[in-house]
């Protein structure tokens, strides 16, 4: 069992930055791949970024490539999502999730999910 807690969301103006954190419980967290997803009101859960267990591989959606950076610190059981140059379309609830396989973009392939953190960007 893995428990995930996201934090770092908030209300910001367009062009600002935020850093989200995903803290995982359990000794296995450092061996799991982690993905970030987001869900806007009335929309499905969309892939944002993923990182493999040791941070050597990352992958981003085209919508955030060049603006967002995913990283991890396994000594702290934490994965980060640095979000720069935010725009209105980034407004959503952001979730982190884990699975054992590696870089995967499909949300239904992930096993454990956090409760999410709200990011709101005002134009």
């Amino acid at each position: 069992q893995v428990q995930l807690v996201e934090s770092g969301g908030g209300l910001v103006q367009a062009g600002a930055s935020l850093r989200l954190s995903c803290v995982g419980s359990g000794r296995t967290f450092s061996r799991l791949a982690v993905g970030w997803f987001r869900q806007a009101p009335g929309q499905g859960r969309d892939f944002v970024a993923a990182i493999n267990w040791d941070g050597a591989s990352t992958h981003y959606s085209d919508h955030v490539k060049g603006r967002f950076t995913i990283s991890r610190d396994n000594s702290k059981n934490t994965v980060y999502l640095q979000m720069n140059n935010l725009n209105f379309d980034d407004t959503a609830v952001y979730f982190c999730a884990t699975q054992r396989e590696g870089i995967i973009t499909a949300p239904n392939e992930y096993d454990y999910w956090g409760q999410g953190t709200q990011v709101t960007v005002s134009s």
Side-chain angles (χ1 to χ4, degrees), residues 51-58:
I51 190 166
N52 75 329
W53 71 275
D54 66 355
S57 296
T58 59

Side-chain angles (χ1 to χ4, degrees), residues 10-91:
L11 171 63
V12 297
Q13 291 187 329
S17 298
L18 281 174
R19 188 176 78 160
L20 306 183
S21 298
C22 171
V23 179
S25 66
R27 291 175 291 177
T28 62
F29 181 81
S30 63
R31 299 197 293 271
L32 299 175
V34 176
W36 282 99
F37 295 80
R38 65 189 183 185
Q39 188 165 16
Q43 304 294 318
R45 196 162 291 191
D46 295 330
F47 172 77
V48 175
I51 190 166
N52 75 329
W53 71 275
D54 66 355
S57 296
T58 59
H59 182 66
Y60 300 90
S61 74
D62 288 342
H63 297 292
V64 307
K65 194 175 298 182
R67 298 188 298 124
F68 291 12
T69 302
I70 189 170
S71 62
R72 69 189 300 161
D73 183 345
N74 283 341
S75 69
K76 298 180 179 179
N77 269 15
T78 303
V79 170
Y80 303 99
L81 185 68
Q82 177 67 42
M83 307 187 296
N84 296 330
N85 195 22
L86 286 160
N87 59 57
F88 179 77
D89 291 337
D90 295 318
T91 296

Side-chain angles (χ1 to χ4, degrees), residues 98-101 104 106-111:
T98 62
Q99 41 81 13
R100 296 177 180 274
E101 302 301 325
I104 294 177
N108 61 355
E109 298 292 330
Y110 284 74
D111 302 312

